[in-house]
Amino acid sequence: MSRRGLLALTAGAGAAITAGAAGWSRRTTASTGRVLASAGPLPRPFRVPLPVPPVARPVRSERGTDFYEVEQREGTVEILPGRKTAVWGYDGIFPGPTFAARSGRRTVVQVRNSLTVPTVTHLHGGVTPPESDGYPTDLLLPARCAPGRTHEDMAGTHPGRTAVGYRTYEYPLPQPAATLWYHDHRMDFSAPQVWRGLAGFFLVSDQEEDRLPLPGGDRDVPLMLCDRSFAEDGSFRYPGHHEHDAFPDGVLGDVQLVNGAPWPVLDVSATRYRFRLLNASNARRYQLRLDAGDGKWGRFVQIGSDGGLLAAPQPLDTVGMAPGERFDVVIDFSAFPVGSKVTLRNSAAEGGMRDVMRFHVVREERDDSRVPSRLSASFKALSPGPGGSVPVRRFDFRRTHGTGERQMWTINGRPFSTDIVLATPRLGSVERWRFSSDFHHPVHAHSAQFQVTARGGRPPRATDAGWKDTVDVRPYEVVEALVRFTGYKGRYMLHCHNLEHEDMAMMANFDVT
Ligand code: C2O
Ligand code: CU
Ligand code: CU
Protein backbone atom coordinates (compact mmCIF):
# COMPACT_ATOMS: atom_id res chain seq x y z
CA MET A 1 0.00 0.00 0.00
CA SER A 2 1.22 3.48 -0.76
CA ARG A 3 2.14 5.84 2.04
CA ARG A 4 -0.76 8.03 0.92
CA GLY A 5 -3.10 5.07 1.38
CA LEU A 6 -1.81 4.53 4.89
CA LEU A 7 -2.30 8.15 5.80
CA ALA A 8 -5.83 8.12 4.50
CA LEU A 9 -6.59 5.00 6.55
CA THR A 10 -5.34 6.46 9.78
CA ALA A 11 -7.28 9.65 9.27
CA GLY A 12 -10.49 8.46 7.66
CA ALA A 13 -10.44 7.15 4.11
CA GLY A 14 -10.98 9.60 1.31
CA ALA A 15 -10.48 12.70 3.40
CA ALA A 16 -8.37 15.16 1.48
CA ILE A 17 -7.52 16.87 4.72
CA THR A 18 -6.33 14.49 7.38
CA ALA A 19 -6.02 15.31 11.02
CA GLY A 20 -2.47 16.02 11.99
CA ALA A 21 -0.40 14.79 14.86
CA ALA A 22 -2.43 17.04 17.07
CA GLY A 23 -4.19 20.32 16.50
CA TRP A 24 -3.89 21.17 20.13
CA SER A 25 -1.53 19.11 22.12
CA ARG A 26 0.14 19.15 25.43
CA ARG A 27 2.57 16.58 24.10
CA THR A 28 5.64 18.73 24.30
CA THR A 29 7.18 17.29 21.18
CA ALA A 30 4.22 17.21 18.81
CA SER A 31 3.76 19.67 15.96
CA THR A 32 0.88 22.08 16.08
CA GLY A 33 -0.96 22.05 12.84
CA ARG A 34 -2.78 19.76 10.53
CA VAL A 35 -1.53 17.56 7.72
CA LEU A 36 -2.62 18.55 4.24
CA ALA A 37 -2.44 15.27 2.34
CA SER A 38 -0.77 15.03 -1.05
CA ALA A 39 -2.63 13.59 -4.01
CA GLY A 40 -0.94 10.88 -6.03
CA PRO A 41 1.86 8.57 -5.00
CA LEU A 42 4.51 9.81 -2.59
CA PRO A 43 8.16 9.23 -3.44
CA ARG A 44 10.00 6.34 -1.79
CA PRO A 45 12.45 7.49 0.88
CA PHE A 46 16.23 7.44 0.48
CA ARG A 47 16.33 7.30 -3.36
CA VAL A 48 17.53 10.75 -4.34
CA PRO A 49 20.90 12.34 -3.53
CA LEU A 50 20.97 15.35 -1.24
CA PRO A 51 21.26 18.54 -3.30
CA VAL A 52 23.27 21.45 -1.94
CA PRO A 53 22.15 24.92 -3.06
CA PRO A 54 24.67 26.84 -5.20
CA VAL A 55 26.64 29.66 -3.61
CA ALA A 56 25.68 33.11 -4.91
CA ARG A 57 28.45 35.09 -6.62
CA PRO A 58 28.74 38.84 -6.19
CA VAL A 59 28.26 40.85 -9.39
CA ARG A 60 31.03 43.10 -8.12
CA SER A 61 33.05 43.78 -5.01
CA GLU A 62 34.53 46.96 -3.68
CA ARG A 63 36.53 47.66 -0.59
CA GLY A 64 34.35 46.47 2.26
CA THR A 65 31.26 45.65 0.14
CA ASP A 66 29.99 42.80 -2.00
CA PHE A 67 27.12 43.49 -4.41
CA TYR A 68 24.70 40.78 -5.44
CA GLU A 69 21.68 40.61 -7.72
CA VAL A 70 18.98 38.04 -7.31
CA GLU A 71 15.72 37.60 -9.16
CA GLN A 72 12.54 36.26 -7.66
CA ARG A 73 10.90 34.27 -10.39
CA GLU A 74 8.98 31.15 -11.15
CA GLY A 75 11.13 28.13 -11.87
CA THR A 76 10.41 24.51 -12.64
CA VAL A 77 12.12 21.82 -10.63
CA GLU A 78 11.82 18.08 -10.24
CA ILE A 79 11.12 17.34 -6.59
CA LEU A 80 9.03 14.21 -7.04
CA PRO A 81 10.69 11.82 -9.48
CA GLY A 82 9.16 12.21 -12.94
CA ARG A 83 6.92 15.13 -11.99
CA LYS A 84 7.48 18.87 -12.34
CA THR A 85 6.90 21.43 -9.61
CA ALA A 86 6.63 25.16 -10.24
CA VAL A 87 8.42 27.05 -7.48
CA TRP A 88 8.65 30.70 -6.60
CA GLY A 89 12.33 30.94 -6.02
CA TYR A 90 15.15 33.37 -5.55
CA ASP A 91 16.78 32.91 -8.98
CA GLY A 92 13.98 30.45 -9.67
CA ILE A 93 15.39 27.73 -7.42
CA PHE A 94 14.36 26.22 -4.10
CA PRO A 95 16.17 26.59 -1.76
CA GLY A 96 17.52 29.85 -3.13
CA PRO A 97 21.26 30.41 -3.59
CA THR A 98 23.37 30.39 -0.43
CA PHE A 99 25.00 33.72 0.40
CA ALA A 100 28.48 33.38 1.88
CA ALA A 101 29.03 36.65 3.72
CA ARG A 102 31.62 37.97 6.07
CA SER A 103 31.12 39.51 9.49
CA GLY A 104 31.48 43.31 9.34
CA ARG A 105 31.66 43.34 5.54
CA ARG A 106 28.67 44.97 3.85
CA THR A 107 26.55 42.69 1.69
CA VAL A 108 24.23 44.55 -0.69
CA VAL A 109 21.55 42.48 -2.39
CA GLN A 110 19.42 43.88 -5.17
CA VAL A 111 16.26 41.80 -5.34
CA ARG A 112 14.23 41.92 -8.53
CA ASN A 113 10.63 40.77 -8.35
CA SER A 114 9.61 38.98 -11.54
CA LEU A 115 6.75 37.15 -9.86
CA THR A 116 3.12 38.29 -10.06
CA VAL A 117 2.72 39.04 -6.35
CA PRO A 118 4.32 41.52 -3.95
CA THR A 119 7.19 40.19 -1.85
CA VAL A 120 9.24 41.19 1.17
CA THR A 121 12.68 39.74 1.88
CA HIS A 122 13.82 39.38 5.47
CA LEU A 123 17.25 38.24 6.61
CA HIS A 124 16.39 36.09 9.61
CA GLY A 125 18.97 36.49 12.37
CA GLY A 126 20.53 39.51 10.71
CA VAL A 127 21.32 42.67 12.67
CA THR A 128 20.04 44.95 9.93
CA PRO A 129 18.99 48.61 9.71
CA PRO A 130 15.16 48.85 9.74
CA GLU A 131 14.88 50.02 6.09
CA SER A 132 16.49 46.75 4.96
CA ASP A 133 15.00 44.42 7.56
CA GLY A 134 12.01 43.35 5.50
CA TYR A 135 9.17 44.88 7.51
CA PRO A 136 5.99 43.10 6.35
CA THR A 137 4.46 46.16 4.71
CA ASP A 138 7.67 47.28 2.96
CA LEU A 139 6.42 45.64 -0.20
CA LEU A 140 8.41 45.00 -3.31
CA LEU A 141 5.79 45.08 -6.06
CA PRO A 142 6.40 43.01 -9.18
CA ALA A 143 7.99 44.76 -12.11
CA ARG A 144 4.97 43.76 -14.14
CA CYS A 145 1.54 43.37 -12.59
CA ALA A 146 -0.62 40.32 -12.98
CA PRO A 147 -3.39 40.76 -15.59
CA GLY A 148 -6.13 42.99 -14.25
CA ARG A 149 -4.10 44.27 -11.29
CA THR A 150 -2.48 47.64 -10.84
CA HIS A 151 0.42 48.60 -8.63
CA GLU A 152 -1.99 50.72 -6.60
CA ASP A 153 -4.26 47.84 -5.69
CA MET A 154 -1.29 45.56 -5.05
CA ALA A 155 0.17 48.07 -2.61
CA GLY A 156 -3.01 47.64 -0.57
CA THR A 157 -4.04 49.77 2.34
CA HIS A 158 -1.06 49.23 4.63
CA PRO A 159 1.35 52.11 4.79
CA GLY A 160 4.85 50.95 3.96
CA ARG A 161 8.00 51.71 2.08
CA THR A 162 6.80 50.34 -1.24
CA ALA A 163 9.16 49.72 -4.14
CA VAL A 164 8.38 48.63 -7.67
CA GLY A 165 10.42 46.08 -9.66
CA TYR A 166 13.48 45.92 -7.49
CA ARG A 167 14.72 46.82 -4.04
CA THR A 168 18.20 47.00 -2.60
CA TYR A 169 18.72 45.46 0.81
CA GLU A 170 21.87 46.41 2.71
CA TYR A 171 23.34 44.12 5.33
CA PRO A 172 26.26 45.57 7.32
CA LEU A 173 26.47 42.37 9.43
CA PRO A 174 27.82 43.69 12.73
CA GLN A 175 27.62 40.18 14.15
CA PRO A 176 29.74 37.05 14.52
CA ALA A 177 29.87 33.97 12.28
CA ALA A 178 26.41 32.39 12.19
CA THR A 179 23.94 30.46 10.09
CA LEU A 180 21.26 32.90 8.98
CA TRP A 181 18.55 32.46 6.39
CA TYR A 182 16.41 34.68 4.23
CA HIS A 183 12.78 34.23 3.39
CA ASP A 184 9.63 36.00 2.33
CA HIS A 185 7.89 38.15 4.95
CA ARG A 186 4.98 39.71 3.04
CA MET A 187 2.15 40.88 5.31
CA ASP A 188 -0.55 38.17 5.54
CA PHE A 189 1.16 36.00 2.89
CA SER A 190 4.46 34.77 4.34
CA ALA A 191 3.17 31.23 4.82
CA PRO A 192 2.01 30.53 1.24
CA GLN A 193 4.97 32.38 -0.29
CA VAL A 194 7.60 30.56 1.74
CA TRP A 195 5.76 27.29 1.04
CA ARG A 196 6.17 27.98 -2.68
CA GLY A 197 9.90 28.29 -2.28
CA LEU A 198 11.02 31.77 -1.21
CA ALA A 199 13.77 30.81 1.28
CA GLY A 200 17.52 30.26 1.31
CA PHE A 201 20.66 30.21 3.45
CA PHE A 202 22.82 33.18 4.35
CA LEU A 203 26.04 32.14 6.08
CA VAL A 204 28.22 34.61 7.94
CA SER A 205 31.85 33.69 8.63
CA ASP A 206 34.50 35.51 10.66
CA GLN A 207 38.16 35.30 11.66
CA GLU A 208 37.50 33.54 14.91
CA GLU A 209 35.69 30.75 13.10
CA ASP A 210 38.39 30.60 10.37
CA ARG A 211 40.94 29.63 13.00
CA LEU A 212 38.93 26.68 14.31
CA PRO A 213 39.81 23.23 12.94
CA LEU A 214 36.14 22.40 12.23
CA PRO A 215 35.16 20.30 9.21
CA GLY A 216 35.01 22.55 6.13
CA GLY A 217 34.66 22.51 2.36
CA ASP A 218 32.21 19.87 1.20
CA ARG A 219 32.08 18.58 4.77
CA ASP A 220 30.30 21.78 5.86
CA VAL A 221 26.76 21.22 4.63
CA PRO A 222 23.66 23.39 5.16
CA LEU A 223 20.50 21.31 5.64
CA MET A 224 17.17 23.07 5.16
CA LEU A 225 14.40 20.94 6.62
CA CYS A 226 10.84 21.60 5.55
CA ASP A 227 7.68 19.71 4.74
CA ARG A 228 5.44 20.16 1.72
CA SER A 229 2.36 18.60 0.14
CA PHE A 230 1.81 18.02 -3.55
CA ALA A 231 -1.09 17.90 -5.96
CA GLU A 232 -1.47 15.06 -8.45
CA ASP A 233 0.35 17.03 -11.17
CA GLY A 234 3.36 17.63 -8.92
CA SER A 235 2.57 21.22 -8.01
CA PHE A 236 2.77 22.33 -4.40
CA ARG A 237 -0.49 21.99 -2.56
CA TYR A 238 -1.41 24.67 -0.03
CA PRO A 239 -4.87 25.39 1.40
CA GLY A 240 -6.82 27.77 -0.80
CA HIS A 241 -8.99 30.56 0.57
CA HIS A 242 -12.00 28.30 1.02
CA GLU A 243 -10.09 25.68 3.03
CA HIS A 244 -7.75 28.02 4.83
CA ASP A 245 -9.88 28.22 7.95
CA ALA A 246 -9.47 24.48 8.38
CA PHE A 247 -5.79 25.07 9.18
CA PRO A 248 -5.74 27.76 11.85
CA ASP A 249 -3.01 26.00 13.80
CA GLY A 250 -0.58 25.57 10.93
CA VAL A 251 -0.12 23.59 7.72
CA LEU A 252 1.92 20.39 7.82
CA GLY A 253 3.07 18.59 4.68
CA ASP A 254 3.34 14.84 4.20
CA VAL A 255 6.59 14.91 2.21
CA GLN A 256 9.79 15.65 4.10
CA LEU A 257 12.25 17.74 2.11
CA VAL A 258 15.89 18.44 2.85
CA ASN A 259 17.37 21.15 0.62
CA GLY A 260 14.29 20.70 -1.53
CA ALA A 261 14.65 16.92 -2.10
CA PRO A 262 12.32 14.30 -0.63
CA TRP A 263 13.92 12.07 2.01
CA PRO A 264 17.36 12.33 0.36
CA VAL A 265 20.58 10.37 0.90
CA LEU A 266 24.08 11.72 1.41
CA ASP A 267 27.12 9.52 0.88
CA VAL A 268 29.67 10.37 3.55
CA SER A 269 33.17 9.24 4.48
CA ALA A 270 33.84 7.95 7.98
CA THR A 271 34.90 11.41 9.15
CA ARG A 272 33.45 14.47 10.88
CA TYR A 273 30.90 16.61 9.06
CA ARG A 274 29.46 19.95 10.02
CA PHE A 275 25.73 20.32 9.35
CA ARG A 276 23.91 23.61 9.65
CA LEU A 277 20.41 22.46 10.49
CA LEU A 278 17.59 24.90 9.73
CA ASN A 279 13.94 24.30 10.41
CA ALA A 280 12.40 26.24 7.52
CA SER A 281 9.01 24.52 7.87
CA ASN A 282 5.86 26.60 8.21
CA ALA A 283 4.65 24.80 11.32
CA ARG A 284 6.43 21.45 11.73
CA ARG A 285 8.62 20.77 14.74
CA TYR A 286 11.45 18.27 14.84
CA GLN A 287 13.01 16.06 17.48
CA LEU A 288 15.99 14.80 15.54
CA ARG A 289 17.83 11.61 16.37
CA LEU A 290 20.46 9.61 14.51
CA ASP A 291 19.37 6.02 14.06
CA ALA A 292 22.28 3.72 13.19
CA GLY A 293 20.08 0.60 13.16
CA ASP A 294 20.09 -2.44 15.48
CA GLY A 295 19.08 -0.22 18.39
CA LYS A 296 22.22 1.89 18.04
CA TRP A 297 21.94 5.67 18.08
CA GLY A 298 24.45 8.25 17.03
CA ARG A 299 24.97 11.64 18.59
CA PHE A 300 25.32 15.24 17.58
CA VAL A 301 27.87 17.66 18.92
CA GLN A 302 26.33 21.12 18.89
CA ILE A 303 28.81 23.89 18.06
CA GLY A 304 26.49 26.77 17.24
CA SER A 305 22.98 28.12 17.79
CA ASP A 306 20.87 30.70 15.90
CA GLY A 307 23.24 33.59 16.51
CA GLY A 308 26.70 32.01 16.30
CA LEU A 309 29.17 29.60 17.82
CA LEU A 310 28.77 28.37 21.37
CA ALA A 311 31.52 29.00 23.92
CA ALA A 312 32.11 25.25 24.08
CA PRO A 313 30.70 22.28 22.20
CA GLN A 314 27.95 20.19 23.77
CA PRO A 315 26.96 16.62 22.90
CA LEU A 316 23.25 16.08 22.22
CA ASP A 317 21.35 12.85 21.63
CA THR A 318 18.35 14.73 20.27
CA VAL A 319 17.98 18.11 18.66
CA GLY A 320 14.58 19.74 19.09
CA MET A 321 13.86 22.40 16.47
CA ALA A 322 10.89 24.72 16.20
CA PRO A 323 10.30 26.68 12.98
CA GLY A 324 13.00 29.30 12.38
CA GLU A 325 15.61 27.74 14.68
CA ARG A 326 19.11 26.72 13.58
CA PHE A 327 21.48 24.20 15.11
CA ASP A 328 25.07 24.00 13.94
CA VAL A 329 26.20 20.44 14.69
CA VAL A 330 29.09 18.07 13.99
CA ILE A 331 28.43 14.39 13.37
CA ASP A 332 31.43 12.05 13.54
CA PHE A 333 30.77 9.21 11.12
CA SER A 334 33.96 7.41 12.19
CA ALA A 335 31.75 6.07 14.99
CA PHE A 336 30.09 3.84 12.35
CA PRO A 337 31.69 1.08 10.26
CA VAL A 338 31.96 1.66 6.51
CA GLY A 339 28.75 0.33 4.96
CA SER A 340 26.52 1.74 7.72
CA LYS A 341 23.29 3.48 6.98
CA VAL A 342 22.54 6.20 9.50
CA THR A 343 19.06 7.68 9.37
CA LEU A 344 18.12 11.12 10.60
CA ARG A 345 14.73 10.64 12.22
CA ASN A 346 12.10 12.99 13.58
CA SER A 347 10.53 11.46 16.64
CA ALA A 348 8.06 14.37 16.88
CA ALA A 349 6.34 13.18 13.68
CA GLU A 350 4.01 10.37 12.66
CA GLY A 351 4.23 7.74 9.93
CA GLY A 352 6.54 8.39 7.00
CA MET A 353 7.37 11.82 8.36
CA ARG A 354 9.40 10.12 11.07
CA ASP A 355 12.11 9.78 8.44
CA VAL A 356 14.07 12.87 7.41
CA MET A 357 17.11 11.75 5.40
CA ARG A 358 19.84 9.10 5.40
CA PHE A 359 23.62 9.06 5.47
CA HIS A 360 25.52 6.20 3.82
CA VAL A 361 28.99 5.75 5.24
CA VAL A 362 30.74 4.69 2.06
CA ARG A 363 34.50 5.03 2.63
CA GLU A 364 37.36 5.77 4.98
CA GLU A 365 39.07 9.13 4.59
CA ARG A 366 41.76 11.11 6.30
CA ASP A 367 40.34 13.63 8.73
CA ASP A 368 42.31 16.60 10.04
CA SER A 369 39.28 18.27 11.56
CA ARG A 370 38.51 18.46 15.26
CA VAL A 371 35.96 19.97 17.54
CA PRO A 372 38.08 22.02 19.95
CA SER A 373 36.97 22.29 23.55
CA ARG A 374 36.73 26.10 23.25
CA LEU A 375 34.82 27.53 20.33
CA SER A 376 33.92 31.20 20.65
CA ALA A 377 35.99 33.27 23.05
CA SER A 378 33.74 36.24 22.37
CA PHE A 379 30.63 34.50 23.65
CA LYS A 380 29.70 35.90 27.06
CA ALA A 381 26.75 35.01 29.20
CA LEU A 382 24.56 38.10 29.52
CA SER A 383 23.94 39.28 33.02
CA PRO A 384 21.40 41.79 34.23
CA GLY A 385 24.26 43.87 35.65
CA PRO A 386 24.93 45.07 39.18
CA GLY A 387 21.77 45.04 41.25
CA GLY A 388 20.12 42.84 38.66
CA SER A 389 17.62 45.48 37.68
CA VAL A 390 16.77 45.50 34.03
CA PRO A 391 13.43 46.35 32.50
CA VAL A 392 11.13 43.33 32.49
CA ARG A 393 8.52 42.87 29.79
CA ARG A 394 5.89 40.22 29.31
CA PHE A 395 4.63 38.92 26.01
CA ASP A 396 1.70 36.54 26.14
CA PHE A 397 1.00 34.55 22.97
CA ARG A 398 -2.60 33.44 22.82
CA ARG A 399 -5.43 32.61 20.49
CA THR A 400 -8.74 34.43 20.45
CA HIS A 401 -11.73 34.07 18.25
CA GLY A 402 -12.35 36.92 15.90
CA THR A 403 -15.66 37.67 14.28
CA GLY A 404 -17.62 34.53 13.52
CA GLU A 405 -15.57 31.41 13.94
CA ARG A 406 -12.49 33.05 12.54
CA GLN A 407 -9.53 32.53 14.79
CA MET A 408 -6.95 35.17 15.55
CA TRP A 409 -3.58 34.82 17.14
CA THR A 410 -2.60 37.62 19.47
CA ILE A 411 0.31 38.96 21.51
CA ASN A 412 -0.74 40.59 24.79
CA GLY A 413 -4.32 40.38 23.61
CA ARG A 414 -3.76 42.28 20.39
CA PRO A 415 -3.68 41.12 16.81
CA PHE A 416 -0.94 42.81 14.78
CA SER A 417 -1.34 46.42 13.82
CA THR A 418 1.38 48.43 12.10
CA ASP A 419 0.90 51.29 14.55
CA ILE A 420 0.81 49.58 17.92
CA VAL A 421 4.21 49.37 19.61
CA LEU A 422 4.49 46.92 22.49
CA ALA A 423 7.99 47.82 23.72
CA THR A 424 10.57 50.59 23.41
CA PRO A 425 13.93 49.20 24.52
CA ARG A 426 16.99 51.45 24.42
CA LEU A 427 19.80 50.82 21.97
CA GLY A 428 22.68 49.21 23.83
CA SER A 429 20.54 47.99 26.72
CA VAL A 430 19.65 44.55 28.03
CA GLU A 431 16.11 43.63 29.04
CA ARG A 432 14.44 40.59 30.53
CA TRP A 433 11.61 39.33 28.36
CA ARG A 434 9.10 36.73 29.54
CA PHE A 435 7.25 34.77 26.89
CA SER A 436 4.17 32.79 27.86
CA SER A 437 1.46 30.96 25.97
CA ASP A 438 -1.23 28.31 26.12
CA PHE A 439 0.05 26.67 22.96
CA HIS A 440 3.23 25.95 21.01
CA HIS A 441 4.73 29.12 19.60
CA PRO A 442 8.25 29.57 18.22
CA VAL A 443 8.90 33.16 19.32
CA HIS A 444 11.25 35.15 17.09
CA ALA A 445 12.69 38.65 17.50
CA HIS A 446 14.21 40.63 14.66
CA SER A 447 17.57 42.34 15.15
CA ALA A 448 17.84 41.57 18.88
CA GLN A 449 19.58 38.42 20.05
CA PHE A 450 18.88 36.79 23.37
CA GLN A 451 19.97 34.13 25.83
CA VAL A 452 17.40 31.91 27.46
CA THR A 453 17.77 32.10 31.26
CA ALA A 454 14.83 30.04 32.50
CA ARG A 455 12.12 27.73 31.26
CA GLY A 456 9.12 27.00 33.41
CA GLY A 457 10.93 28.47 36.43
CA ARG A 458 13.76 26.02 35.97
CA PRO A 459 17.12 26.30 34.21
CA PRO A 460 16.93 26.25 30.41
CA ARG A 461 17.29 23.04 28.40
CA ALA A 462 20.60 22.11 26.81
CA THR A 463 19.18 23.01 23.40
CA ASP A 464 18.43 26.57 24.59
CA ALA A 465 22.16 27.31 24.77
CA GLY A 466 23.93 30.19 23.04
CA TRP A 467 22.71 33.25 21.17
CA LYS A 468 19.14 32.77 20.05
CA ASP A 469 16.74 34.72 17.90
CA THR A 470 13.98 32.11 17.98
CA VAL A 471 12.86 30.11 20.98
CA ASP A 472 10.32 27.35 21.30
CA VAL A 473 7.67 28.39 23.83
CA ARG A 474 5.62 25.39 24.90
CA PRO A 475 2.09 25.27 26.31
CA TYR A 476 1.83 26.70 29.83
CA GLU A 477 5.52 27.33 30.11
CA VAL A 478 7.10 30.71 30.71
CA VAL A 479 10.38 31.22 28.88
CA GLU A 480 12.64 33.93 30.23
CA ALA A 481 15.39 35.51 28.19
CA LEU A 482 17.87 38.31 28.51
CA VAL A 483 17.65 40.28 25.28
CA ARG A 484 20.41 42.52 24.00
CA PHE A 485 19.67 45.46 21.72
CA THR A 486 22.69 46.23 19.64
CA GLY A 487 22.66 47.35 16.07
CA TYR A 488 20.25 50.09 15.08
CA LYS A 489 17.41 52.27 16.26
CA GLY A 490 14.05 51.84 14.65
CA ARG A 491 11.05 49.58 14.33
CA TYR A 492 11.44 45.80 14.47
CA MET A 493 9.18 42.81 14.87
CA LEU A 494 8.55 40.20 17.50
CA HIS A 495 6.39 37.38 16.18
CA CYS A 496 5.46 33.76 16.16
CA HIS A 497 7.43 31.84 13.52
CA ASN A 498 4.68 29.35 12.90
CA LEU A 499 4.01 31.05 9.57
CA GLU A 500 0.27 30.42 9.64
CA HIS A 501 0.09 32.05 13.08
CA GLU A 502 2.24 34.91 11.83
CA ASP A 503 -0.09 35.51 8.89
CA MET A 504 -3.04 35.41 11.29
CA ALA A 505 -1.72 38.45 13.14
CA MET A 506 0.63 36.96 15.77
CA MET A 507 3.17 39.76 15.36
CA ALA A 508 4.05 42.88 17.32
CA ASN A 509 6.27 45.92 16.90
CA PHE A 510 9.03 47.02 19.19
CA ASP A 511 10.93 50.26 18.67
CA VAL A 512 14.60 50.41 19.56
CA THR A 513 15.11 53.99 20.76
CU1 C2O B 1 12.22 34.33 9.97
CU2 C2O B 1 10.30 37.73 11.00
O1 C2O B 1 11.20 36.03 10.45
CU1 CU C 1 13.70 37.24 11.49
CU1 CU D 1 2.31 30.56 17.12
Side-chain angles (χ1 to χ4, degrees):
M1 185 187 278
S2 72
R3 195 186 295 275
R4 156 97 175 100
L6 278 173
L7 261 178
L9 269 187
T10 49
I17 296 163
T18 60
W24 186 94
S25 174
R26 282 214 202 190
R27 224 182 106 200
T28 51
T29 56
S31 285
T32 48
R34 212 170 169 194
V35 176
L36 175 65
S38 293
L42 296 186
R44 310 241 314 257
F46 318 132
R47 299 295 149 121
V48 296
L50 175 80
V52 176
V55 175
R57 290 187 183 289
V59 289
R60 70 196 160 88
S61 293
E62 272 167 19
R63 269 191 66 213
T65 309
D66 297 316
F67 296 87
Y68 293 86
E69 287 172 11
V70 62
E71 185 186 20
Q72 299 176 310
R73 57 180 151 85
E74 191 164 305
T76 307
V77 297
E78 186 174 314
I79 297 175
L80 307 175
R83 285 187 277 170
K84 297 275 181 256
T85 306
V87 300
W88 290 355
Y90 290 89
D91 284 347
I93 59 174
F94 166 59
T98 298
F99 290 85
R102 199 70 184 158
S103 168
R105 187 175 165 85
R106 217 158 57 105
T107 294
V108 177
V109 183
Q110 189 194 88
V111 179
R112 191 173 170 76
N113 182 356
S114 303
L115 296 167
T116 52
V117 294
T119 62
V120 171
T121 299
H122 167 60
L123 176 59
H124 180 132
V127 179
T128 305
E131 320 77 74
S132 286
D133 194 48
Y135 192 77
T137 55
D138 289 349
L139 300 178
L140 170 55
L141 305 182
R144 260 187 258 148
C145 290
R149 309 274 330 254
T150 63
H151 280 128
E152 287 64 42
D153 66 55
M154 279 199 165
T157 51
H158 301 297
R161 290 165 281 216
T162 299
V164 177
Y166 65 88
R167 158 166 262 141
T168 304
Y169 294 91
E170 298 202 13
Y171 305 120
L173 304 171
Q175 56 194 115
T179 300
L180 313 183
W181 64 300
Y182 61 95
H183 61 79
D184 192 69
H185 216 301
R186 177 186 168 198
M187 180 86 165
D188 301 336
F189 291 90
S190 299
Q193 298 197 169
V194 170
W195 186 272
R196 281 170 166 256
L198 290 171
F201 279 100
F202 190 108
L203 310 180
V204 181
S205 62
D206 68 7
Q207 279 184 7
E208 182 176 52
E209 183 193 43
D210 290 348
R211 285 194 289 264
L212 297 174
L214 296 168
D218 56 9
R219 290 200 280 126
D220 175 358
V221 187
L223 298 178
M224 179 190 282
L225 275 47
C226 59
D227 53 338
R228 294 290 185 268
S229 301
F230 295 86
E232 187 92 50
D233 63 359
S235 60
F236 284 134
R237 202 170 164 224
Y238 190 80
H241 276 305
H242 55 292
E243 40 178 10
H244 204 270
D245 287 355
F247 294 84
D249 299 338
V251 179
L252 304 176
D254 58 4
V255 176
Q256 179 64 50
L257 303 181
V258 183
N259 293 348
W263 296 289
V265 186
L266 178 67
D267 285 351
V268 296
S269 60
T271 58
R272 289 180 196 84
Y273 281 68
R274 175 179 185 179
F275 294 108
R276 299 160 184 265
L277 298 165
L278 157 66
N279 181 355
S281 309
N282 282 31
R284 183 171 291 280
R285 301 165 79 253
Y286 297 84
Q287 282 291 333
L288 298 174
R289 298 189 68 191
L290 278 174
D291 184 352
D294 300 327
K296 289 200 289 289
W297 298 85
R299 93 182 339 193
F300 308 91
V301 175
Q302 188 191 359
I303 57 169
S305 56
D306 299 337
L309 293 167
L310 303 180
Q314 65 168 347
L316 294 174
D317 293 323
T318 44
V319 170
M321 293 183 88
E325 286 190 294
R326 286 89 69 211
F327 281 82
D328 203 336
V329 300
V330 170
I331 299 174
D332 187 354
F333 292 104
S334 72
F336 312 105
V338 169
S340 301
K341 292 178 171 41
V342 182
T343 308
L344 187 65
R345 294 207 198 273
N346 177 13
S347 59
E350 313 280 327
M353 295 304 282
R354 292 178 74 84
D355 292 329
V356 176
M357 66 172 290
R358 180 170 279 174
F359 304 100
H360 283 175
V361 185
V362 292
R363 58 175 186 277
E364 305 276 359
E365 200 172 71
R366 186 189 149 88
D367 189 2
D368 295 324
S369 74
R370 278 180 313 112
V371 180
S373 57
R374 312 279 328 143
L375 293 165
S376 172
S378 51
F379 181 89
K380 297 264 173 330
L382 283 181
S383 75
S389 63
V390 290
V392 177
R393 299 188 202 265
R394 292 183 174 76
F395 299 96
D396 187 43
F397 291 70
R398 219 159 269 271
R399 80 159 99 204
T400 58
H401 290 277
T403 46
E405 269 310 283
R406 204 172 170 109
Q407 199 162 280
M408 294 287 259
W409 294 99
T410 63
I411 304 178
N412 291 354
R414 295 169 186 275
F416 180 65
S417 153
T418 49
D419 17 73
I420 298 173
V421 175
L422 290 194
T424 51
R426 286 208 165 278
L427 184 66
S429 72
V430 171
E431 297 196 348
R432 191 184 296 280
W433 283 12
R434 291 201 172 111
F435 305 122
S436 57
S437 84
D438 57 351
F439 209 80
H440 267 300
H441 297 292
V443 172
H444 170 51
H446 286 206
S447 186
Q449 311 240 321
F450 53 80
Q451 295 174 3
V452 179
T453 55
R455 193 179 265 283
R458 287 201 288 266
R461 296 182 293 178
T463 46
D464 292 323
W467 284 114
K468 300 287 294 165
D469 57 53
T470 309
V471 65
D472 187 22
V473 177
R474 303 184 294 187
Y476 303 104
E477 190 180 56
V478 178
V479 173
E480 263 193 26
L482 285 170
V483 192
R484 188 176 70 169
F485 302 90
T486 56
Y488 309 92
K489 292 183 181 175
R491 180 155 300 178
Y492 292 100
M493 321 271 322
L494 173 74
H495 65 86
C496 178
H497 219 289
N498 175 314
L499 297 184
E500 280 78 26
H501 297 187
E502 175 180 332
D503 282 347
M504 279 180 271
M506 199 169 238
M507 303 196 289
N509 293 306
F510 64 92
D511 283 354
V512 179
T513 58

